[in-house]
Amino acid sequence: MNNEKVYKMEFSKIYPLLVNKAVKKGRSKEEVDEVICWLTGYYPEDLEQMADTSINYEDFFHNAPKMNENRKLIKGVVCGVRVEDIEDPLMQEIRYLDKLVDELAKGKKMEKILRADR
C-alpha cells in the first residue's frame, strides 16, 4: 500500500482497529486514548468526536494540537521498518502511533510507553 492510500484512510476506520488490538491483549480503550493523546496533544473527547467524522489520517496528524517532543525517543520496528529511519515525516508520525499501540498490546508499562523515565 502506498503512503497516499494510508494518508487518506479515515481515522474513524483506524481508531477501532487500534483499540481492538490493545483490548484483545488485556489493555483498555482508555489506555489507547492515553497514548494517542500523549503523542498528538488531542484530548480523549477530541478522539471520540473525530471517530464520528470522516477526517483522514493525514488531517488527523496535521491538525494535532501539539505533537509530543519525546516522540523522537520512540525506536523499534513496525511492519518491518525501523520507525527512527522513516524519512517521510507524516508516515513516521503514523508509525510512531503504531509502535505505541504495539508496545501497549505487548504489556509494556505505561510509563515506559510514554517515555516518562527519560
Side-chain angles (χ1 to χ4, degrees):
M1 183 179 293
N2 69 30
N3 290 356
E4 279 305 311
K5 281 186 177 180
V6 174
Y7 301 158
K8 298 307 176 198
M9 294 171 75
E10 291 183 8
F11 177 75
S12 63
K13 305 278 192 254
I14 297 167
Y15 179 62
L17 300 174
L18 297 172
V19 170
N20 288 340
K21 180 176 190 169
V23 168
K24 278 196 251 181
K25 297 291 187 168
R27 300 309 284 257
S28 69
K29 175 189 172 298
E30 291 74 24
E31 289 174 307
V32 174
D33 288 353
E34 186 176 349
V35 298
I36 295 172
C37 292
W38 175 88
L39 178 66
T40 63
Y42 286 116
Y43 290 100
E45 53 271 16
D46 298 329
L47 302 180
E48 291 297 322
Q49 239 181 341
M50 285 184 278
D52 291 331
T53 69
S54 60
I55 189 169
N56 64 41
Y57 232 17
E58 180 175 27
D59 291 338
F60 174 80
F61 281 100
H62 282 157
N63 295 335
K66 184 174 187 333
M67 295 300 290
N68 193 305
E69 292 176 13
N70 286 341
R71 72 190 185 281
K72 299 295 182 187
L73 299 173
I74 301 169
K75 309 268 188 241
V77 177
V78 174
C79 298
V81 178
R82 291 207 144 274
V83 293
E84 61 270 28
D85 295 339
I86 297 172
E87 292 181 16
D88 182 317
L90 178 56
M91 183 54 70
Q92 188 173 48
E93 304 295 0
I94 291 169
R95 294 304 183 197
Y96 283 152
L97 178 55
D98 291 342
K99 183 66 179 164
L100 293 174
V101 174
D102 282 354
E103 291 176 355
L104 188 63
K106 288 178 180 171
K108 243 186 177 182
K109 291 183 178 185
M110 191 60 81
E111 59 270 9
K112 293 277 189 191
I113 296 168
L114 302 182
R115 280 54 183 176
D117 61 334
R118 311 232 178 201

